[in-house]
Amino acid sequence: MSDCLFCRIASGELPAELVYEDDDVLAFRDIHPKAPTHVLLIPRRHVPTLADAEDPALLALLMQRVQYVADEVLGLAAGYRVVINVREGGGQEVFHLHIHILGGKKMPF
Ligand code: 5GP
Ligand code: ZN
């Protein structure tokens, strides 16, 4: 989707500070971090929201990659928070499914 911000990052058309990528996903630092470590993990495939992600294999893959990136790439051994905002009411601003990985401080409720 040429008009999708995160598709354009995934294709390399727009720059991002990548921390991990493979054939299925990429992870890059949020441009407005809300914690000392704030990374967004996205599927390369354009899926607008969590509610559109019907493939159980994709959902499992995303969660496995979150584990890997948080622990092995970012070294968030003390713990981290995983957030998915869904649609406008959930605070979603970019309509390409993304998982926030937040850490580096004790997260307040
Ligand atoms: P949402 O509110 O949709 O769950 O989260 C979108 C996130 O994308 C926000 O935290 C915002 O800071 C981040 N963001 C928006 N535009 C860009 C961008 O161009 N590059 C990067 N790296 N992050 C972005
Ligand atoms: Zn997209």
Side-chain angles (χ1 to χ4, degrees), residues 5-6 9 14-17 28-34 38 40 83-86 90-96 98 100:
L5 179 65
F6 288 173
I9 288 176
L14 290 179
E17 194 180 333
F28 51 90
R29 295 196 188 275
D30 195 293
I31 204 165
H32 298 302
K34 290 157 192 80
H38 186 174
L40 304 173
V83 173
I84 304 177
N85 298 324
V86 183
Q92 186 173 4
E93 293 179 352
V94 178
F95 282 77
H96 179 128
H98 52 281
H100 297 258

Side-chain angles (χ1 to χ4, degrees), residues 1 4-8 44-47 95-96:
M1 294 241 322
C4 170
L5 179 65
F6 288 173
C7 280
R8 294 172 76 191
R44 287 190 182 277
R45 191 202 317 172
H46 181 82
V47 177
F95 282 77
H96 179 128

Side-chain angles (χ1 to χ4, degrees), residues 37-107:
T37 298
H38 186 174
V39 162
L40 304 173
L41 186 137
I42 69 169
R44 287 190 182 277
R45 191 202 317 172
H46 181 82
V47 177
T49 80
L50 178 65
D52 302 298
E54 293 170 351
D55 178 2
L58 174 65
L59 295 169
L61 181 140
L62 291 171
M63 286 300 117
Q64 192 277 334
R65 295 303 194 279
V66 166
Q67 290 178 332
Y68 179 79
V69 169
D71 276 317
E72 306 301 331
V73 178
L74 301 172
L76 297 172
Y80 53 92
R81 177 169 293 175
V82 174
V83 173
I84 304 177
N85 298 324
V86 183
R87 302 192 187 122
E88 287 91 345
Q92 186 173 4
E93 293 179 352
V94 178
F95 282 77
H96 179 128
L97 173 60
H98 52 281
I99 302 169
H100 297 258
I101 303 171
L102 299 136
K105 68 173 183 182
K106 175 78 173 165
M107 300 301 296

